[in-house]
């Protein structure tokens, strides 16, 4: 892995009072994103507005495309031109992007998509929050593939995790989602942007060997193939069809097996390196509350109340939601009475938790249909019932 | 094989992927030959030429041409190419795809690329139907033609492609049939040297599906139809270019105008508005 | 922890009040401040509002629940939000624009003709800054120094002096009102 320091041109070092959407744009600029294609959609539009305002002075491209399908298609193209690329959207736009998210996964293209989630389905609640696209992020495009999804709980984390998202996208040649939500996107808080020389950026895995030996899909030892830029004379081919190491289409079950397993293995086998969790008082806990994004703040409030009432509660905050921390929850499964998972959906990531612990501990879902965050008392009640 | 026997087009093809999938009598290969010919004549650095295709029979072109080549999703070749071009403006980006791909599922992207005068060469092979999937009705299918999803004949109005392109802002528009190989080559060459959005529509036979279903005979019969019914009218009013079933096909170069591209407009406008603080892009 | 709601009608700069206060508190008063606002067509209409939660520790729950302070610059906003104000809260109104009923419980009421003062200073658009000064003086949840540091970037630089003047006008009036209340 090669790293370098951020380019100071894109880094607005200092303390600012920003909303989550703006912080996403600042994170992208700091991470070296120089290509943004997007389409307006509430509650994510402010990110595109901020990027379009800032980029002329940094040097880069902003283009408002004709729709979200065009936006992600342009991202994939620009990523192949060697740019770090990003778009931002919300539920309906995320749905429109799905087919080409599959193309990006298949062609192994680094790109970052922030989904500022709102209540759904359909047009739903454009101006109110939700976390209902978590499973869509995981499974939304057809076929088997893997992606990475992060979930920030504040404008500060929108900034921090956007940089991480770019680093992961480059490291694993994979689409990375920042699954934030309307509440965080529209909430203003203090955001501290460090100096450029304190921001480490992962460089794309550029191929440096002889031209005629280049194979765009030959996995390296870390399972990730090397990449090249369009225009560098490799005359390479890439396709959304099932392909071999050369990137040439091969339509049979054997190559399909190799191709699909590769897409899955490069993430699954690197999962422990990818997953970031924040744990508190998990040792000796009777019950563990798992949460992500805005819900984790509300959950921690409930946990504090529960502790005041004498219940031993631990918390695990999923900064990385996909891949899911399967190994960690399995370690804990035999040790705790129950695991409680509030989400602003009718129970999505909790299903992955249930699957992972496989009945070895009680799993309690605390669903919410969206339009607001949980009442902390509802989570508190669930914690109390879980330890009964 | 002696060096003289080598087909000159081989330099432009991924010979390790030949034979291709196209039917005998299909016109796509002929358009690819013209493209190769134009590339050679253009003297462009081929390392800096990229080709993007969507999905469909013509969508497979990207897979056979020895350039940086991208086989993308159905209808999205143009926005993909837009990203590729804007990601690295020194590239010459060619979109090579079919009528269903570009004007059906990808119609919205086509009109916006024209509106922006995005610096792309769009070569559209128009065979009047969705061939890869078995000959369904397309936005270019002539009225009365019989298609697998218009089994009693097509009753929809087809697009007049050059008129659409001109109306949306394309700055180079030509139409030929596959019979006009040399003219296709000339048009592609002109388009490669043109700044802005160029559209070249090439009418080609789909022998296996369109021709068979409509009892139009084999490839030779179709070339004969082109020969007898095509009329070259450079600069013709694009409103007059409708194609009716087995009737006249007007060919020629209709539009060739200079107009700043998307990138020119952006750099000029922001330089004027923001002054020295603006960092011009891609220059 | 203090929960504040600024309210009025669209175009009065109500969101800006929340932004300036939140920025001042979190960047210059070394506390935590989370600012949220209502969005959508309703936010542009007759009762728009912005909310700030101020705390010595990190704010976990991002929204206000029972605000201690309500600032109202329109009758509709007042009618809509007054019932949520805590019984021991602080009610701050533009008394030219809001007719308040007698305060409930031990609610303390402070009034200022902020829009009229702004007009006297030359532009009614800075009514929100007059109100901000008044709010700063009577609520004491944010320091006037922090507010002034927070202004750049949130008010147009060419109108900075006018905005500061408006703030000072409201602030001084607030101190006077407090003085009178004491005596």
């Amino acid at each position: 892995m090669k790293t370098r320091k951020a380019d100071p041109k894109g880094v607005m070092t200092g303390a600012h009072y920003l909303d989550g959407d703006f912080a996403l744009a600042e994170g992208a600029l700091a991470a070296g994103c120089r290509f943004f294609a997007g389409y307006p959609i509430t509650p994510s539009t402010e990110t595109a507005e901020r990027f379009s305002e800032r980029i002329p002075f940094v040097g880069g491209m902003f283009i408002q495309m004709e729709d979200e399908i065009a936006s992600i298609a342009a991202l994939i193209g620009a990523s192949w031109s060697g740019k770090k690329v990003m778009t931002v959207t919300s539920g309906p736009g995320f749905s429109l992007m799905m087919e080409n998210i599959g193309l990006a996964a298949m062609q192994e293209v680094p790109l970052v998509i922030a989904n500022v989630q709102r209540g759904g389905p359909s047009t739903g609640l454009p101006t109110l929050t939700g976390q209902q696209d978590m499973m869509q992020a995981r499974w939304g495009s057809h076929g088997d593939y893997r992606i990475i999804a992060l979930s920030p709980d504040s404008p500060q984390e929108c900034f921090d995790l956007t940089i991480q998202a770019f680093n992961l996208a480059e490291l694993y040649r994979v689409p990375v989602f920042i699954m934030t939500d309307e509440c965080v996107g529209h909430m203003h808080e203090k955001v501290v942007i460090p100096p450029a020389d304190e921001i480490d950026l992962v460089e794309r895995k550029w191929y440096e060997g002889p031209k005629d030996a280049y194979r765009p899909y030959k996995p390296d030892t870390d399972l990730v193939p090397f990449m090249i830029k369009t225009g560098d004379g490799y005359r390479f081919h890439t396709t959304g069809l099932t392909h071999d190491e050369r990137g040439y289409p091969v339509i049979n079950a054997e190559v399909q097996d190799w191709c699909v397993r590769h897409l899955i293995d490069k993430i699954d086998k690197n999962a422990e390196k990818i997953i970031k969790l924040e744990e508190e008082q998990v040792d000796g806990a009777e019950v563990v509350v798992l949460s992500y994004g805005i819900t984790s703040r509300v959950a921690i409030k409930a946990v504090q109340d529960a502790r005041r009432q004498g219940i031993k509660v631990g918390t695990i905050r999923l900064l990385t939601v996909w891949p899911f921390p399967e190994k960690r929850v399995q370690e804990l499964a035999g040790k705790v009475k129950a695991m409680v998972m509030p989400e602003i959906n009718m129970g999505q990531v909790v299903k992955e938790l249930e699957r992972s612990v496989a009945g070895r501990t009680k799993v309690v879902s605390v669903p919410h249909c969206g339009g607001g965050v949980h009442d902390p008392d509802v989570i508190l009640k669930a914690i109390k019932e879980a330890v009964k | 094989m002696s060096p003289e026997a080598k087909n000159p087009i081989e330099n432009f093809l991924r010979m390790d992927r030949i034979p291709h999938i196209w039917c005998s009598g299909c016109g796509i290969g002929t358009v690819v030959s013209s493209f190769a010919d134009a590339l050679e004549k253009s003297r462009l650095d081929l390392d800096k030429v990229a080709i993007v295709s969507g999905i469909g029979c013509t969508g497979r072109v990207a897979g056979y041409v020895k350039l940086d080549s991208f086989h993308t999703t159905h209808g999205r070749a143009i926005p993909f190419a837009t990203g590729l071009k804007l990601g690295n403006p020194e590239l010459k980006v060619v979109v090579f795809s079919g009528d269903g791909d570009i004007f059906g599922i990808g119609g919205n992207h086509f009109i916006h690329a024209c509106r922006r005068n995005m610096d792309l060469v769009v070569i559209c092979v128009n065979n009047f139907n969705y061939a890869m999937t078995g000959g369904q009705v397309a936005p270019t299918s002539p009225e009365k033609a019989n298609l697998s999803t218009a089994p009693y004949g097509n009753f929809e109005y087809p697009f007049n492609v050059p008129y659409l392109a001109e109306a949306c802002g394309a700055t180079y528009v030509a139409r030929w049939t596959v019979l006009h190989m040399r003219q296709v080559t000339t048009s592609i060459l002109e388009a490669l040297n043109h700044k802005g959005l160029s559209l070249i529509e090439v009418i080609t036979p789909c022998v296996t599906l369109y021709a068979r279903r409509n009892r139009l005979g084999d490839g030779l019969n179709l070339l004969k139809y082109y020969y007898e019914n095509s009329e070259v009218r450079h600069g013709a009013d694009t409103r007059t270019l409708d194609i009716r079933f087995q009737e006249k096909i007007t060919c020629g170069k209709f539009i060739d105008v200079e107009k700043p591209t998307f990138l020119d407009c952006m750099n000029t406008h922001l330089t004027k508005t923001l002054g020295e603080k603006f960092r011009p892009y891609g220059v | 922890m203090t929960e504040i709601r600024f309210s009025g009608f669209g175009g009065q700069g109500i969101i800006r009040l929340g932004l300036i206060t939140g920025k001042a508190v979190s960047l210059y008063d070394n506390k935590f401040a989370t600012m949220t606002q209502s969005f959508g067509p309703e936010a542009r209409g007759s009762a728009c509002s912005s909310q700030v939660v101020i705390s010595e520790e990190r704010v976990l729950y991002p929204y206000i629940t029972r605000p201690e302070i309500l600032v109202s610059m329109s009758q509709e906003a007042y009618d809509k939000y007054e019932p949520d104000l805590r019984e021991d809260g602080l009610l701050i109104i533009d008394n030219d624009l809001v007719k308040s009923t007698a305060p409930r419980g031990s609610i303390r009421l402070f009034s200022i003709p902020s829009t009229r003062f702004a007009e006297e200073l030359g532009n009614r658009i800075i009514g929100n800054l007059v109100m901000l000064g008044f709010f700063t003086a009577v609520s004491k949840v944010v320091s006037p120094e922090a507010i002034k540091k927070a202004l750049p970037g949130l008010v147009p630089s060419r109108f900075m002096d006018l905005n500061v003047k408006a703030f000072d006008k409201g602030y001084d009036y607030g101190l006077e009102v407090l003085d009178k209340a004491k005596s």
Side-chain angles (χ1 to χ4, degrees):
Chain A
M1 177 173 69
K2 278 191 189 163
T3 61
R4 62 183 168 79
K5 298 296 177 188
D7 175 357
K9 280 203 303 271
V11 185
M12 215 172 71
T13 303
H16 309 273
Y17 199 61
L18 299 177
D19 72 5
D21 282 1
F22 280 2
L24 289 171
E26 290 304 329
L29 289 163
C33 173
R34 296 295 178 266
F35 187 98
F36 187 114
Y39 187 80
I41 183 167
T42 305
S44 73
T45 312
E46 290 87 342
T47 306
E49 289 174 343
R50 177 93 174 189
F51 199 95
S52 67
E53 193 182 326
R54 293 259 284 122
I55 197 66
F57 309 106
V58 176
M61 172 59 60
F62 169 88
I63 182 167
Q64 183 171 312
M65 295 299 287
E66 50 273 18
D67 57 28
E68 287 89 346
I69 303 174
S71 303
I72 174 144
L75 287 200
I76 301 171
S79 192
W80 275 118
S81 281
K83 287 280 186 291
K84 285 187 170 184
V85 300
M86 185 194 194
T87 191
V88 63
T89 190
S90 191
F94 201 51
S95 292
L96 284 175
M97 288 182 185
M98 282 301 148
E99 187 194 10
N100 282 279
I101 285 168
L103 181 70
M106 190 65 147
Q107 292 190 340
E108 302 190 54
V109 178
L111 54 84
V112 174
I113 301 174
N115 179 349
V116 187
Q117 295 173 87
R118 61 195 229 187
S122 191
T123 312
L125 302 168
T127 56
L128 298 175
T129 193
Q131 293 181 315
Q132 297 161 325
D133 308 345
M134 299 309 296
M135 277 297 174
Q136 187 186 19
R138 175 73 181 77
W139 301 109
S141 196
H142 55 281
D144 281 313
Y145 61 98
R146 291 288 187 269
I147 50 80
I148 296 171
L150 314 175
S151 188
D153 73 348
S154 60
Q156 179 69 55
E157 258 188 18
C158 283
F159 177 85
D160 297 340
L161 292 192
T162 299
I163 291 174
Q164 220 179 90
F166 275 96
N167 284 348
L168 289 167
E170 298 295 335
L171 201 52
Y172 295 103
R173 280 188 65 174
V174 72
V176 178
F177 301 130
I178 302 164
M179 299 299 289
T180 185
D181 73 288
E182 187 278 335
C183 180
V184 172
H186 279 163
M187 163 207 296
H188 277 79
E189 280 184 348
K190 181 178 175 177
V191 175
V192 179
I193 299 180
D197 61 10
E198 288 173 20
I199 300 172
D200 288 312
L201 302 178
V202 174
E203 286 223 49
R204 194 164 291 184
K205 245 184 111 171
W206 299 118
Y207 174 75
E208 282 163 350
K211 277 193 177 159
D212 48 3
Y214 178 63
R215 296 284 179 273
Y217 294 104
K218 187 178 178 208
D220 186 26
T221 48
D222 62 355
L223 303 179
V224 185
F226 285 98
M227 207 164 172
I228 45 86
K229 277 201 292 280
T230 311
D232 280 357
Y234 290 87
R235 310 279 190 95
F236 71 105
H237 181 63
T238 184
T239 174
L241 287 166
T242 296
H243 50 262
D244 60 18
E245 285 185 355
R246 296 170 301 172
Y248 288 4
V250 183
I251 310 302
N252 67 38
E254 289 76 24
V255 176
Q256 168 76 352
D257 187 82
W258 174 82
C259 185
V260 172
R261 279 183 199 282
H262 163 67
L263 297 180
I264 288 172
D265 285 351
K266 78 169 175 181
I267 301 302
D268 284 3
K269 294 193 173 164
N270 287 308
E272 292 309 307
K273 282 188 261 175
I274 297 168
I275 294 167
K276 295 272 181 293
L277 305 175
E278 219 176 70
E279 299 193 2
E280 240 184 64
Q281 301 186 30
V282 171
D283 286 341
E286 299 170 88
V287 57
V288 169
V289 176
L290 288 97
S291 57
Y292 56 88
I294 185 62
T295 303
S296 55
R297 292 171 64 151
V298 183
I300 289 166
K301 194 167 160 45
V303 166
Q304 288 174 350
D305 291 342
R307 284 178 187 150
R308 274 193 282 274
Q309 297 181 24
I311 306 169
K312 285 182 185 159
V313 196
T315 56
I316 300 182
R317 195 157 77 81
L318 312 179
L319 281 80
T320 317
V321 180
W322 308 123
F324 186 76
E326 194 171 323
K327 216 174 123 194
R328 181 61 181 139
V329 297
Q330 279 167 358
E331 280 168 11
L332 292 171
K335 298 181 190 161
V336 299
K337 271 193 200 166
M339 293 186 182
V340 174
M341 189 151 200
E343 306 174 76
I344 309 176
N345 56 51
M346 293 309 284
Q348 295 193 7
V349 181
V350 72
K351 295 281 186 255
E352 191 68 6
L353 176 61
E354 280 172 359
R355 193 189 63 74
S356 298
V357 303
R360 294 201 295 137
T361 192
K362 187 162 72 171
V363 172
V364 180
S365 168
V366 191
H368 187 302
C369 287
V373 298
H374 287 79
D375 178 342
D377 288 343
V378 171
I379 303 174
L380 177 64
K381 206 174 134 211
I383 294 170
K384 283 160 90 172
E385 269 170 28
V387 289
K388 256 186 204 161
Chain B
M1 202 196 293
S2 69
E4 301 85 67
K6 193 179 159 194
N7 190 326
I9 195 181
E10 285 183 18
N11 293 332
F12 297 91
L13 296 182
R14 297 184 190 277
M15 291 310 289
D16 51 355
R17 289 218 58 222
I18 303 298
H20 56 67
I21 61 153
W22 298 311
C23 307
S24 107
C26 172
I28 298 171
T30 314
V31 188
V32 174
S33 294
S34 290
F35 176 55
D37 201 8
L39 279 178
E40 177 150 49
K41 291 194 167 85
S42 75
R43 300 172 161 266
L44 287 167
D45 174 1
L46 298 192
D47 285 350
K48 302 292 177 198
V49 181
I51 177 166
V52 184
S53 291
I55 296 294
C57 290
T58 314
R60 293 303 184 96
V61 168
Y64 299 123
V65 177
K66 205 156 81 189
L67 297 168
D68 285 342
S69 59
F70 302 87
H71 186 214
T72 66
T73 45
H74 196 19
R76 319 305 168 196
I78 287 177
F80 187 107
T82 298
L84 199 63
K85 172 72 187 176
L86 295 180
N88 178 3
E90 71 168 19
L91 297 173
K92 176 61 75 177
V93 180
V94 180
V95 171
F96 211 127
S97 221
D99 50 306
D101 191 74
I102 293 178
F103 302 114
I105 186 167
N108 193 35
H109 309 308
F110 175 76
I111 66 176
H112 286 280
C114 291
R115 176 180 64 78
R116 298 184 178 110
N117 198 26
M118 194 58 69
D119 192 13
L120 300 174
V121 176
V122 180
I123 301 170
C124 178
V125 171
N126 180 359
N127 58 14
F128 300 144
N129 71 150
Y130 284 93
M132 182 66 96
T133 44
Q136 291 77 35
V137 68
T140 49
S141 301
E143 284 178 86
K144 298 193 189 74
N146 191 292
L147 290 308
S148 76
T149 47
Y152 311 109
N154 176 31
F155 49 82
E156 290 188 30
Y157 307 109
F159 269 137
N160 166 348
V161 167
Y163 181 32
L164 174 72
E166 185 192 8
C168 296
T171 45
Y172 183 100
V173 181
R175 175 200 276 160
W176 301 103
T177 76
V178 82
L179 193 67
H180 302 86
M181 245 187 113
R182 274 184 301 126
Q183 290 90 331
V184 172
T185 303
T186 307
S187 271
I188 295 176
L189 184 59
E190 287 179 356
L192 287 168
N193 290 318
H194 177 83
K195 274 192 79 180
L197 194 129
S198 314
L199 172 79
I200 300 152
E201 180 190 17
V202 187
I203 311 293
T204 62
C206 173
V207 175
T208 311
L209 298 161
Y210 182 81
R212 185 182 52 82
R213 243 196 129 85
N214 288 286
R215 299 195 173 86
L216 302 176
D218 59 14
L220 198 62
N221 294 98
L222 285 166
L223 293 183
K224 216 170 139 198
Y225 154 63
Y226 298 154
Y227 180 75
E228 286 166 0
N229 291 277
S230 55
E231 163 197 65
V232 177
R233 218 154 34 94
H234 291 300
D237 183 337
T238 57
R239 285 173 299 181
T240 66
L241 301 180
D242 284 314
I243 299 175
R244 296 195 171 76
F245 186 66
Q246 290 302 97
E247 289 182 21
K248 181 186 70 182
I249 301 174
T250 305
C251 297
K253 179 171 81 176
F254 311 117
I255 307 292
D256 186 357
V257 292
E258 298 269 317
K259 198 169 89 174
T261 65
F262 169 87
L263 210 51
D264 295 336
C265 293
M266 182 184 107
N267 280 330
T268 309
H269 177 76
L270 292 181
T271 303
K272 208 168 105 188
T273 313
L274 304 175
E276 279 176 14
K277 284 181 291 175
F278 171 60
R279 296 164 180 270
Y281 182 81
V283 289
Chain C
M1 204 175 71
T2 312
E3 297 182 349
I4 306 159
R5 185 193 294 278
F6 297 98
S7 67
F9 52 78
Q12 277 182 317
I14 297 301
I15 308 297
R16 196 82 0 177
L17 288 181
L19 266 179
I20 297 169
T21 305
K23 180 181 173 187
V25 168
S26 63
L27 298 194
Y28 309 110
D29 274 349
N30 294 318
K31 290 183 205 167
F32 292 86
T34 300
M35 183 273 202
T36 55
Q37 58 187 290
S38 47
F39 274 86
E42 63 275 22
R44 295 176 199 113
S46 49
C48 97
S49 103
S50 63
Q51 300 84 239
V52 184
V53 181
I54 297 175
S55 173
E56 300 289 334
E57 289 158 9
R58 190 186 174 205
V59 176
L60 291 171
Y61 190 83
Y63 298 116
I64 59 169
T65 47
R66 294 282 286 167
E68 286 97 322
I69 304 173
L70 172 67
V71 177
S72 252
M73 292 184 69
S74 84
Q75 189 64 45
E76 280 198 64
Y78 169 83
D79 293 343
K80 185 171 172 186
Y81 296 120
E82 192 279 335
D84 290 339
L85 183 62
R86 268 169 46 167
E87 299 254 310
D88 56 351
L90 188 61
L91 175 62
I92 301 171
I93 58 169
D94 181 320
N95 55 353
D96 280 354
L97 302 175
V98 178
K99 291 284 159 266
S100 157
T101 49
R104 289 178 285 117
S106 56
I107 289 173
R108 289 169 301 146
L109 171 69
F110 290 95
S111 310
I112 180 173
S114 55
T115 311
R116 180 156 31 100
F117 282 171
E119 277 164 359
E120 285 164 19
L121 289 168
N123 199 335
R124 63 180 300 143
I125 202 93
I126 50 170
N128 63 339
L129 263 290
V130 178
M131 181 56 94
L132 186 64
F134 186 63
F135 156 82
T136 304
V138 301
S139 74
K140 301 193 180 76
V141 296
V142 55
S143 68
E145 297 78 21
I147 292 274
K148 283 183 183 170
K149 281 190 207 162
L151 290 179
L154 292 177
V155 301
S157 50
R158 60 186 195 283
F159 296 123
M160 182 58 76
D161 291 349
L162 188 61
N163 277 280
V164 171
K165 228 162 102 183
F167 176 83
D168 287 341
K169 173 81 187 172
Y171 188 76
D172 294 343
Y173 187 76
L175 294 181
E176 271 174 46
V177 169
L178 281 181
D179 260 1
K180 266 187 220 153
K182 261 188 227 155
S183 56

